[in-house]
Amino acid sequence: MGKLYVVGIGPGGLNDMTLKAKKAIEESEIIVGYTKYISMIEELILGKEVFQTGMKQEVDRCKKALELSQNKVVSIISTGDAGIYGMAGLILEMKKDEIVEVIPGVTSSIAAAACLGSPLMHDNCLISLSDLMTPYNLIKKRVLLAAEGDFVISFYNPRSKGRPNYLRECIDIIREYREDTTPVGIVKNAMRQGEEVSITTLQNFDETKVDMMSMVIIGNSNTFIKGNMMITPRGYKL
Amino acid sequence: MGKLYVVGIGPGGLNDMTLKAKKAIEESEIIVGYTKYISMIEELILGKEVFQTGMKQEVDRCKKALELSQNKVVSIISTGDAGIYGMAGLILEMKKDEIVEVIPGVTSSIAAAACLGSPLMHDNCLISLSDLMTPYNLIKKRVLLAAEGDFVISFYNPRSKGRPNYLRECIDIIREYREDTTPVGIVKNAMRQGEEVSITTLQNFDETKVDMMSMVIIGNSNTFIKGNMMITPRGYKL
C-alpha cells in the first residue's frame, strides 16, 4: 500500500522546511516535482527515483504522482506551501482512493516578510497577478477592494514577460487609496540563492525590478520604514 | 555579544516547526514566551532558562527579550508565524541596537487549511476579529470588502467571551455576497493536541462551536466539499 505526501518545502533552503516535510521526503521512494524545485532539495533526495516535469504540466505531474502512490510512498513537492497556489488543490480534486496527506510549509509571502521585517503584522491578503486561470478583471477588482480595505497586500507571480504591465496597473489602483509614502517591499528569491531585498514607496516603485521569482508586499496606512526594515504595527501602545 | 531570534514555532507540534526554528531554539540560552506556548516546546528546552509571561503582557515580554539578548542568545517564540499577529512587529518596533533575526513559521490558517484539504488555493485574506487594537468598524469593513471580492477568508481570533457575537455578525455580512451552500471549515487546535476538524456551510454555520483556539475559513464562490475535504480549485482544466 502506497501513500502520497503533498509537501510544501518552504522558500527553498533545506533549513526552511518543517521537520515533518523533511521526514516525508526522506521516507518517500519517489519524488515528483517541477525541475527547478527538485534541484533545490537535491541533497536530500540523492539516490531516490525522481519524476520531474516542466512548467505548465501540472495536471500530468499530479496524475503521475497519484498513480505512483498506489503502491509506493511518493512526495510531490511545491515551494512555499502546497495549499497556496501549489499542488494540493489539484491533487485533492483528482484523488480517488489514494491515501494523501498535505504537509504545510512556509508560503513565500511569509518568507519574504521575514526578510523585510514585519510587514504582515495586521490583516493582509494574498493576490496572484497571473491571469492564466483568473480573468484579469477579477484580479483588478480584488486589488481595488483590498486597497480600499487597507489590507497589507502580497502579490504572488507579480510580473512575467507575457504580462509586463499588470503590476504597474495594480500599483496605480492602490495609489488611488494610499499615500505616496506607503512602504513597498520587494524580495527576489526570498531565503534562497540570489536573495535580493529592497524597500521603496508607492511613489518610487519601479516595476521593472520585479520578476516571477519576486514577492511584492504593499504596506497598509500604518506601515512604516525603520532603518532597513518595513514594519506594520499590530497596534500595541509603547 | 548576544542575539535575539524571533521564532514562529508553527501550529505547535515539534515536527511542524522548520529546521531553522529548531536550531535557533537549541542554540538559545534563554527562551521567552507566553506560558501556553512554552509548554508546547517543553521537550526541546529542558534545562534552559525560561522567561514566561501571561496573556496581554506582550510589551513586557518583548522588552525583557531585547534586554536579555544584549549578552545572551535568546529566542522569543510565537505559535504560527511570528510575523502574522505574532511578536515580530513589537520586537522590531522596540529594537535599538540589538541583533534580531525573524525566523518564519507555518501560520495557523495554513496549518488549518492542510487539515481541511486545500481551501486556500486561490486569492485569500487573513482577518483578525479581535478588537483589542483594531476598531470593530474597520474589521467589519474589511470583512465586507473581502466578501465582495470573493476572497477566501481566514478568521484569526474568531471568538472570545468578551465578544461572543462578532463572528455571527461577520458571517452574516459574508452571506450578503455568497451562497448559502458556501463551504466553511472550522479547525480547533490545528495539528496539536485536541485537534477537531469540521466542515459546514454558511447556512448551517454554528458560531457557538468556535473559540479562540479555532481557525474559521470561508470558501470563495468556487470552493466545494468532496468527501471530508474542503477544496478551492486553482482553475486547472481536468
Side-chain angles (χ1 to χ4, degrees):
Chain A
M1 192 66 189
K3 178 166 187 176
L4 178 58
Y5 292 111
V6 185
V7 182
I9 64 167
L14 291 184
N15 279 325
D16 294 310
M17 65 175 70
T18 67
L19 277 79
K20 204 191 270 172
K22 184 166 184 254
K23 281 177 189 167
I25 291 170
E26 285 170 344
E27 184 195 327
S28 295
E29 302 164 82
I30 308 178
I31 311 295
V32 179
Y34 169 43
T35 309
K36 190 181 167 74
Y37 303 156
I38 289 284
S39 72
M40 291 178 183
I41 58 163
E42 244 171 8
E43 239 179 279
L44 195 60
I45 59 174
L46 289 174
K48 288 187 193 292
E49 192 178 332
V50 171
F51 182 81
Q52 310 186 35
T53 60
M55 265 187 75
K56 301 188 185 173
Q57 299 178 35
E58 290 84 2
V59 174
D60 287 349
R61 199 186 303 151
C62 291
K63 205 170 167 180
K64 187 75 181 179
L66 282 163
E67 204 180 285
L68 292 167
S69 77
Q70 279 164 354
N71 41 38
K72 300 265 189 179
V73 180
V74 181
S75 281
I76 181 167
I77 62 163
S78 297
T79 50
D81 176 61
I84 296 190
Y85 310 120
M87 287 296 107
L90 201 45
I91 289 285
L92 296 181
E93 282 184 70
M94 294 168 75
K95 162 182 147 63
K96 292 190 182 108
D97 56 359
E98 303 89 350
I99 299 172
V100 175
E101 183 178 345
V102 180
I103 298 183
V106 172
T107 189
S108 50
S109 65
I110 289 181
C115 298
L116 290 163
S118 57
L120 304 181
M121 278 303 294
H122 214 294
D123 302 333
N124 68 90
C125 61
L126 317 182
I127 301 176
S128 168
L129 295 191
S130 167
D131 65 346
L132 285 180
M133 295 174 291
T134 308
Y136 184 42
N137 276 337
L138 176 57
I139 296 172
K140 283 191 290 188
K141 179 182 173 187
R142 286 181 177 156
V143 171
L144 186 148
L145 293 165
E148 192 180 343
D150 201 25
F151 284 96
V152 178
I153 302 172
S154 299
F155 285 132
Y156 282 67
N157 311 309
R159 191 161 179 264
S160 71
K161 282 180 192 151
R163 44 181 174 78
N165 302 321
Y166 287 11
L167 179 59
R168 178 76 264 160
E169 288 162 14
C170 289
I171 291 286
D172 288 343
I173 292 170
I174 295 169
R175 291 189 69 181
E176 299 286 319
Y177 294 89
R178 298 205 191 159
E179 301 288 338
D180 286 349
T181 53
T182 304
V184 179
I186 305 169
V187 185
K188 191 170 168 176
N189 290 312
M191 300 198 168
R192 61 189 183 218
Q193 217 180 357
E195 179 182 291
E196 286 174 38
V197 180
S198 64
I199 298 176
T200 180
T201 60
L202 275 180
Q203 185 169 32
N204 295 323
F205 182 76
D206 176 2
E207 72 278 9
T208 64
K209 292 190 176 156
V210 175
D211 64 13
M212 281 298 272
M213 292 295 111
S214 308
M215 171 67 47
V216 177
I217 301 182
I218 322 287
N220 70 15
S221 59
N222 295 313
T223 303
F224 62 93
I225 296 172
K226 174 183 170 185
N228 60 356
M229 302 179 297
M230 174 175 172
I231 301 177
T232 301
R234 178 80 182 93
Y236 294 102
K237 293 270 173 299
L238 291 180
Chain B
M1 193 66 189
K3 179 168 186 176
L4 178 58
Y5 292 112
V6 185
V7 183
I9 64 167
L14 291 184
N15 279 325
D16 293 310
M17 66 175 70
T18 67
L19 276 79
K20 204 192 271 172
K22 184 166 183 253
K23 281 177 188 167
I25 291 170
E26 285 170 345
E27 185 195 327
S28 295
E29 301 163 83
I30 309 179
I31 311 295
V32 179
Y34 169 42
T35 309
K36 190 181 165 74
Y37 303 156
I38 290 283
S39 72
M40 290 177 183
I41 59 164
E42 245 171 5
E43 239 179 280
L44 195 59
I45 59 175
L46 289 173
K48 287 187 196 292
E49 192 179 333
V50 171
F51 182 81
Q52 310 187 33
T53 59
M55 265 185 75
K56 301 188 185 172
Q57 299 178 34
E58 291 84 3
V59 174
D60 287 347
R61 200 187 302 153
C62 290
K63 206 170 167 180
K64 187 77 182 176
L66 282 163
E67 203 180 286
L68 292 167
S69 77
Q70 279 165 353
N71 41 37
K72 300 263 187 179
V73 179
V74 181
S75 281
I76 181 166
I77 62 163
S78 297
T79 50
D81 174 61
I84 297 190
Y85 311 119
M87 288 297 106
L90 202 44
I91 289 285
L92 297 181
E93 282 183 72
M94 295 168 74
K95 163 183 148 61
K96 290 188 183 110
D97 56 358
E98 303 89 350
I99 300 172
V100 175
E101 183 179 344
V102 179
I103 299 183
V106 172
T107 190
S108 51
S109 66
I110 290 182
C115 298
L116 288 163
S118 58
L120 304 181
M121 279 303 294
H122 215 294
D123 303 332
N124 69 90
C125 61
L126 317 183
I127 301 176
S128 168
L129 295 191
S130 167
D131 64 347
L132 285 180
M133 293 173 292
T134 309
Y136 184 43
N137 276 338
L138 177 57
I139 297 172
K140 283 192 290 189
K141 180 182 172 187
R142 286 181 177 156
V143 171
L144 186 149
L145 293 166
E148 191 180 343
D150 202 25
F151 285 96
V152 178
I153 302 171
S154 298
F155 285 133
Y156 282 66
N157 311 309
R159 192 161 179 265
S160 71
K161 282 179 191 151
R163 43 180 174 79
N165 302 322
Y166 287 11
L167 179 58
R168 177 78 262 161
E169 287 162 15
C170 289
I171 291 286
D172 288 343
I173 292 170
I174 295 170
R175 292 190 68 182
E176 299 286 319
Y177 294 88
R178 298 206 191 157
E179 300 288 337
D180 286 349
T181 53
T182 304
V184 179
I186 306 169
V187 184
K188 191 170 169 176
N189 290 311
M191 300 198 168
R192 61 188 180 217
Q193 216 181 359
E195 178 182 291
E196 287 174 38
V197 180
S198 65
I199 297 175
T200 179
T201 60
L202 275 181
Q203 183 168 35
N204 295 323
F205 181 76
D206 176 2
E207 72 277 9
T208 64
K209 292 190 176 155
V210 174
D211 63 16
M212 282 297 273
M213 293 293 112
S214 308
M215 171 65 47
V216 176
I217 300 181
I218 321 287
N220 71 15
S221 59
N222 295 314
T223 304
F224 63 92
I225 296 171
K226 175 183 170 185
N228 59 356
M229 300 179 299
M230 175 173 172
I231 300 176
T232 301
R234 178 80 181 93
Y236 294 103
K237 292 270 173 300
L238 292 179

